[in-house]
Amino acid sequence: SETFQEISPADFFYRNRDIAGFTNPSRAIYSTIRELVENSLDACEINGILPEIYIRISPEKEPISDPSIYKIRIEDNGIGLPSNVIPSAFGQVLFGSKYKLRQTRGTFGLGGKMAILYGQITTHGQAKIISSIGDSKSYEYTLTMDIQKNRPIVIKNKTHGNKSRWHGTIVEFTTEGDYSRAMAKILDYLKQTAIVVPYANLTFVDPRGRFYKFDRATTLMPKPPTETTPHPHGIDIETLKRIIDVTNSRTMKDFMKRHFQRVGESTARKFLEFADISYKRKPKNLTQEEIVKFVNAVKNYEGFLSPDATCLSPLGKELLNTGIKKELNPEFIAVHQRRAAAYSGYPFIVEVGVAYGGDVPKSGGILLYRFANRIPLLFDEASDISYKVTNDMMNWRHYRVVPDTPLAVFVHICSTKIPYKTVGKEFIADRPEVEHEVINALREVARHLSLFLSKKHHMEREKKR
Amino acid sequence: SETFQEISPADFFYRNRDIAGFTNPSRAIYSTIRELVENSLDACEINGILPEIYIRISPEKEPISDPSIYKIRIEDNGIGLPSNVIPSAFGQVLFGSKYKLRQTRGTFGLGGKMAILYGQITTHGQAKIISSIGDSKSYEYTLTMDIQKNRPIVIKNKTHGNKSRWHGTIVEFTTEGDYSRAMAKILDYLKQTAIVVPYANLTFVDPRGRFYKFDRATTLMPKPPTETTPHPHGIDIETLKRIIDVTNSRTMKDFMKRHFQRVGESTARKFLEFADISYKRKPKNLTQEEIVKFVNAVKNYEGFLSPDATCLSPLGKELLNTGIKKELNPEFIAVHQRRAAAYSGYPFIVEVGVAYGGDVPKSGGILLYRFANRIPLLFDEASDISYKVTNDMMNWRHYRVVPDTPLAVFVHICSTKIPYKTVGKEFIADRPEVEHEVINALREVARHLSLFLSKKHHMEREKKR
Ligand SMILES: Nc1ncnc2c1ncn2[C@@H]1O[C@H](COP(=O)(O)OP(=O)(O)OP(=O)(O)O)[C@@H](O)[C@H]1O
Ligand SMILES: Nc1ncnc2c1ncn2[C@@H]1O[C@H](COP(=O)(O)OP(=O)(O)OP(=O)(O)O)[C@@H](O)[C@H]1O
Ligand SMILES: [Mg+2]
Ligand SMILES: [Mg+2]
């Protein structure tokens, strides 16, 4: 007869770590760096801090013979963490500060822990975390993860004075990595991060002691993304019940206005009339049938304003233009930002750029750069919606683009919830609303490219005469 | 300042249900059916029971206007469940009987719960489970899931007499689905399941009351897969520490022989000598350094026998041949089963078939059928390793195959751990060892195809003279 078992979420992601991007020492060291950098950038940007991030990978033994043991160290000047949450933030899977409706790189409460977990199972090491929120103290923890219980084990715990009122976080641990195989991707990741985060100072020291400095190109930071309330179209029975549980509203009308974005007096009344629920009804008294009625009505009601995108923080045309120019020095650039759209109640903005000539490679198809919430996506290109739109759906011939045209396409999507297909955050699912935005954005820049190419063609023919 | 939160695994997969294949009502009803059928087939096969599975999707309101509310009911004659685990098996995420080293369809402890969860958040319904292990009692539970706590809530609980000593499980709940959009995929899934599970009786009744019967083509069942012990190459520090925790071995030599597959007296001694660990050492006394030394040595030692594949249950050439013939009635078939291989200590067997002519479509590229542990994979084809090998790596021209050749390729992989790329089990990651097996298997059948095509070509030229 069968034996039954429950496992913790840490154990689940330990057993299935390839699903989170920790497949082998080469992929794991890449995922380690990207998860840590994304945590540091979030910790700076959310709080309007110009990021200063220092990353070092140093060999634990020489000579290096990959795969090898490395010490990973990352330092940032972000908001830091309060002492009491440090062990859980770095030692408990499904714990974090990003379970909100807000545009952040982090979303699962898992990434930093996966990096530490992989280091622990390959080197038996301990992770050291030092952090301060910028007050008079900084806190140092040495910890390991109890994977079966999904609990941090604090080995050591020190409090230091913080005279300089430094704020930030330092994370240090050992891990097995194949740096020589991952190097190109790691450098690519940092370089592309510098394109979309041009206000950050990134310093990377590799195992051979080589310095890579990505100096900030501007001190102008885009407005930080803000937390928003749910849109009615994002509501299902579970979400509704949770809001009812915590509400102080004494009427359904007030409930609608308080808990949903962009619902005012008249929208609330009209919707409740459409849903056939009395606007005076006490939310906590709704019956099961009324809850189902509400959720069905919310899906069918067409009178809601579209989701508010002011909470989002897109790159902007200027930043995208500058980044593409710096990366490819092209003969021609066109960028376009679509108006905000939504899928399942989540607002999102698509921004694209197309570059022609200059350093754009002449062969090997269209060079595609993909970004989501300012994160460069470097793997599984062929599974991504942007790849499908760029290569299968766009009719480039219509815009005078032929197989050998040196073309690069940049796609950035920002949202309160990026529809990643996997926990490893490498590609985006093909949602029809997202597909619609990407293809229309590409057609817009392709139009400008087409005008340029026809002029260029015309001038070249003139020259020949 | 940031606020921190921990969430349960049920909450994690609720928020990220698209990662588990529950994206929208059309995809969700497909995923619901496949997760339930896979549970029923496991419950039969693991125990050598000829499967009798009955699936019914019935509309909760007429006329149907998709997406719509449906009642889902599935009955099987499998091994059933003991009363005390029924609530957790169907109401607690990351709970199950398949966290073992054994070839089963289930692997995550999540699928059945996702189906019930999606039904609950779209219809506020309750799930009814009736099960018996074939003794004098059967047990009926009505339950819902507390998603935030990841605990089942038992609403009702009845014990019935079981005079007929029936064994099996019945699962029933309501869910929102878009059956008209999902219908083709659901029927395809059942039809392809019948190909690789020809000893099962499957009955499906759709929302319009139409019966689809897939009668068993044979009563011969392949030997059931068995549970196996870890192979040394599958060991990391965490796994080693867990085995040390539970071992009764008093020497490292005995530890090696008892806990690892295919390690006998001489292999144990030779390996421990290679690892520079005394074979008399008590496992529970190993120091941290010795644990690291052991794990590093295990990766580098080349004297281990390859992982034992006798625990696996491949389809077999005859079954594959019969299934392909029944599906496509081709002019020519070739099938091949590779010898067992391994990745990361997990044994796997690749079996392929190629079919030409008959009902194979003449256009639209090579028709690819993918299976893993006898599960048909119907989505995300372009991301799957078999697609890449079939379309990007195979040089079909070399085998006389041209763009309009009516060709179908079948790939089945069985393993104690299928390297799925996602929790939704729709495509397989490109592990180099798996890629190697698939391409060599395809070349083998392509050779036979090539001989056939050249004969056919020759005979057609003869005819023309
Ligand atoms: N460098 C840092 N500075 C400040 N806070 C941090 C830092 N790194 C991690 N944290 C905190 O620890 C939490 C957990 O991080 P972790 O990477 O595990 O998950 P996440 O970033 O929330 O989501 P994801 O799994 O998508 O990365 C974060 O939510 C954040 O609150
Ligand atoms: N029809 C059934 N008959 C017998 N046992 C069942 C049945 N359905 C589910 N179970 C039991 O419930 C457990 C949980 O099922 P669930 O589908 O949630 O996870 P799983 O099958 O173990 O893994 P996966 O998430 O990969 O499907 C199973 O492991 C099995 O023990
Ligand atoms: Mg993170
Ligand atoms: Mg299952």
Side-chain angles (χ1 to χ4, degrees), chain B residues 4-25:
Chain B
F4 294 81
Q5 196 182 347
E6 75 178 33
I7 64 172
S8 77
D11 204 349
F12 178 83
F13 285 109
Y14 159 63
R15 292 163 187 254
N16 300 296
R17 55 192 175 275
D18 43 340
I19 280 183
F22 287 81
T23 321
N24 53 47

Side-chain angles (χ1 to χ4, degrees), chain A residues 2-3 5-7 11 14-15 92 94 96 100 102 121 236-237 239 242 380 383 417 421 431, chain B residues 2-3 5-7 11 14-15 18 92 94 96 100 102 121 236-237 239 242 380 383 417:
Chain A
E2 295 295 293
T3 57
Q5 196 183 346
E6 75 179 31
I7 64 172
D11 205 349
Y14 159 64
R15 292 164 186 253
Q92 182 178 334
L94 302 190
K100 309 183 163 93
R102 180 178 55 177
I121 68 171
D236 57 53
I237 288 164
T239 317
R242 289 185 194 187
D380 297 312
S383 312
K417 181 168 164 52
K421 188 94 192 192
R431 295 267 178 170
Chain B
E2 294 296 293
T3 56
Q5 196 182 347
E6 75 178 33
I7 64 172
D11 204 349
Y14 159 63
R15 292 163 187 254
D18 43 340
Q92 182 179 335
L94 303 190
K100 307 183 163 95
R102 181 178 55 177
I121 67 171
D236 57 54
I237 287 164
T239 317
R242 289 185 194 187
D380 298 312
S383 312
K417 182 169 163 57

Side-chain angles (χ1 to χ4, degrees), chain B residues 89-387:
Chain B
F90 294 96
Q92 182 179 335
V93 165
L94 303 190
F95 182 96
S97 59
K98 299 167 201 168
Y99 290 127
K100 307 183 163 95
L101 233 50
R102 181 178 55 177
Q103 171 191 328
T104 46
R105 292 171 181 79
T107 165
F108 298 125
L110 175 67
K113 273 80 71 174
M114 284 309 300
I116 287 174
L117 186 153
Y118 189 85
Q120 180 173 314
I121 67 171
T122 53
T123 67
H124 215 325
Q126 302 168 347
K128 182 161 74 174
I129 320 292
I130 302 171
S131 191
S132 174
I133 58 173
D135 59 3
S136 62
K137 296 267 181 287
S138 78
Y139 303 93
E140 178 181 338
Y141 283 85
T142 302
L143 56 86
T144 58
M145 289 176 63
D146 180 330
I147 297 173
Q148 284 180 297
K149 294 205 182 88
N150 190 29
R151 286 277 174 271
I153 300 173
V154 176
I155 314 277
K156 210 180 351 167
N157 170 6
K158 287 201 205 130
T159 304
H160 303 278
N162 186 27
K163 278 227 182 76
S164 61
R165 294 295 188 268
W166 165 77
H167 54 80
T169 304
I170 301 170
V171 182
E172 198 175 82
F173 57 90
T174 53
T175 194
E176 180 187 51
D178 189 331
Y179 183 71
S180 42
R181 289 184 68 177
M183 171 170 164
K185 285 295 203 198
I186 290 175
L187 291 175
D188 216 357
Y189 177 86
L190 295 174
K191 179 164 65 91
Q192 291 193 31
T193 294
I195 294 176
V196 291
V197 190
Y199 44 85
N201 270 349
L202 307 170
T203 307
F204 170 55
V205 184
D206 82 359
R208 299 210 185 282
R210 287 179 289 224
F211 260 76
Y212 299 85
K213 282 190 115 285
F214 301 86
D215 291 323
R216 66 170 53 100
T218 170
T219 56
L220 278 171
M221 276 185 75
K223 66 170 174 66
T226 53
E227 187 175 350
T228 184
T229 32
H231 185 273
H233 286 161
I235 293 301
D236 57 54
I237 287 164
E238 175 71 13
T239 317
L240 181 62
K241 289 174 74 176
R242 289 185 194 187
I243 302 175
I244 289 174
D245 264 358
V246 302
T247 189
N248 293 322
S249 294
R250 307 181 67 74
T251 69
M252 280 309 291
K253 175 160 72 69
D254 183 61
F255 179 83
M256 291 296 295
K257 291 163 66 183
R258 184 185 306 209
H259 294 290
F260 298 106
Q261 49 163 274
R262 310 188 90 189
V263 173
E265 182 77 18
S266 118
T267 307
R269 278 179 180 269
K270 285 192 194 138
F271 167 72
L272 289 167
E273 189 170 335
F274 172 85
D276 183 36
I277 292 172
S278 157
Y279 72 87
K280 295 209 193 77
R281 197 109 172 76
K282 214 162 178 280
K284 292 203 198 287
N285 290 347
L286 283 187
T287 65
Q288 199 140 310
E289 288 70 22
E290 286 171 312
I291 284 176
V292 178
K293 199 159 58 162
F294 184 102
V295 171
N296 288 334
V298 132
K299 285 196 207 108
N300 297 317
Y301 186 69
E302 299 194 349
F304 292 122
L305 292 170
S306 58
D308 170 28
T310 60
C311 61
L312 297 180
S313 180
L315 299 172
K317 297 179 61 166
E318 192 169 333
L319 193 157
L320 192 50
N321 213 313
T322 310
I324 295 174
K325 200 171 271 166
K326 182 170 161 204
E327 170 73 359
L328 294 169
N329 193 26
E331 207 176 320
F332 170 82
I333 295 178
V335 298
H336 181 61
Q337 182 182 99
R338 292 278 296 173
R339 284 183 38 226
Y343 79 91
S344 304
Y346 301 110
F348 70 95
I349 293 171
V350 168
E351 310 170 88
V352 307
V354 69
Y356 164 87
D359 299 339
V360 182
K362 281 196 176 44
S363 63
I366 299 174
L367 185 58
L368 177 63
Y369 292 78
R370 301 172 289 134
F371 301 91
N373 284 1
R374 301 174 192 265
I375 299 171
L377 307 182
L378 299 189
F379 285 87
D380 298 312
E381 182 186 62
S383 312
D384 191 294
I385 186 181
S386 294
Y387 182 91

Side-chain angles (χ1 to χ4, degrees), chain B residues 35 39 98 106 111-112:
Chain B
E35 292 291 354
N39 283 346
K98 299 167 201 168

